[in-house]
Amino acid sequence: MEVTPLGDSAVLIRVTEDFDDAPERALEKVLAAQQSLVAAKIPGAIEVAPAYTTVSLFYDPAAAIEAGAPVENVFGWLETQISNAIGKSENIGAKLSKTSVIEIPVCYDNEFGFDLGEVSRRAGLRSDEVVDLHSGAKYRVHCVGFIGGFPFLGGLPPKISTPRRESPRKEIPAGSIGIGGKQTGIYSIKSPGGWNIIGRTPLRMFDSQKNPPVLLRTGDRVRFCPITRDEFERSIA
């Protein structure tokens, strides 16, 4: 484990390096570290944000000092608190694999799947074969970011892995399902983007009026379920 300052009110905690070879194991380590840090209730801690191989802890330096951190070495004090908490993470790691699968309905209609033809061409497959591969895979949310509620999903079949577009679009509709390299993801709100769009979900992935505001969080298991255009329209009616 490596802890480094991230500005004056956050630290970056690297809990693993082995992501490409063992993404599931890396995710479990990150989630275990996140849960241990939350459970530790470190004085001054505001938020704990997991990513692929790291966890970021945001904190209030004044609150940490009030709790006993030396003014001249808040980081050192915080590093000790983090090390003590992370040391307990292995005890909860086994509980993290038992998350239920969240089903995301997707319409792969050509009107929604701007780049489905390009993905098919690169893969040497028919469009329906790409849909079958994409919807037949088991996915895991490894990170949420870029825009509010955008989930980066691991588990994409290698056959349909597709490089990001050379020229990003200025506007991608909310709910669009994209492929970027070895990952797939969902545009939670309307935004620019360079991923290859192959479909759209009627589900609202981000709602600032809800708590939590995001539909998917790091660690969730996901499965895409194909729906027809009529089913899509009925879902948003």
Side-chain angles (χ1 to χ4, degrees), residues 80-129:
T80 299
Q81 304 296 315
I82 291 169
S83 296
N84 290 339
I86 297 292
K88 303 174 183 178
S89 63
E90 293 299 325
N91 298 329
I92 62 172
K95 301 177 183 179
L96 300 171
S97 299
K98 300 179 181 179
T99 56
S100 58
V101 176
I102 298 172
E103 296 187 343
I104 304 294
V106 182
C107 178
Y108 294 94
D109 188 89
N110 286 334
E111 183 180 345
F112 296 150
F114 315 135
D115 302 307
L116 182 56
E118 176 63 13
V119 173
S120 301
R121 185 188 68 79
R122 282 181 171 271
L125 301 170
R126 300 190 310 271
S127 293
D128 63 308
E129 292 176 316

Side-chain angles (χ1 to χ4, degrees), residues 108 113-120 122-123 125 127 129-131 133-135 137 139 150-153 155-166 169 172 176-187 193-199 224:
Y108 294 94
F114 315 135
D115 302 307
L116 182 56
E118 176 63 13
V119 173
S120 301
R122 282 181 171 271
L125 301 170
S127 293
E129 292 176 316
V130 171
V131 171
L133 283 172
H134 186 264
S135 61
Y139 298 96
F150 184 106
F152 292 82
L153 302 170
L156 183 73
K159 183 68 175 177
I160 56 175
S161 175
T162 310
R164 290 173 173 80
R165 290 169 49 84
E166 291 185 5
R169 291 187 173 90
I172 302 293
S176 294
I177 311 296
I179 292 176
K182 299 178 181 180
Q183 302 175 101
T184 190
I186 309 171
Y187 284 80
W195 288 33
N196 302 279
I197 306 304
I198 63 171
F224 293 110

Side-chain angles (χ1 to χ4, degrees), residues 103-107 177 200-203 223-227 232 235:
E103 296 187 343
I104 304 294
V106 182
C107 178
I177 311 296
R200 191 179 304 173
T201 179
L203 297 183
R223 183 169 71 90
F224 293 110
C225 302
I227 59 173
F232 180 92
S235 296

Side-chain angles (χ1 to χ4, degrees), residues 30-109:
V30 167
L31 292 174
Q34 177 199 19
Q35 290 197 11
S36 290
L37 289 168
V38 171
K41 297 181 179 179
I42 297 173
I46 298 172
E47 183 179 1
V48 180
Y52 289 95
T53 58
T54 63
V55 178
S56 296
L57 186 147
F58 297 85
Y59 66 97
D60 178 357
I65 291 171
E66 185 176 340
V71 176
E72 69 281 1
N73 190 18
V74 175
F75 171 74
W77 178 87
L78 193 62
E79 185 176 26
T80 299
Q81 304 296 315
I82 291 169
S83 296
N84 290 339
I86 297 292
K88 303 174 183 178
S89 63
E90 293 299 325
N91 298 329
I92 62 172
K95 301 177 183 179
L96 300 171
S97 299
K98 300 179 181 179
T99 56
S100 58
V101 176
I102 298 172
E103 296 187 343
I104 304 294
V106 182
C107 178
Y108 294 94
D109 188 89

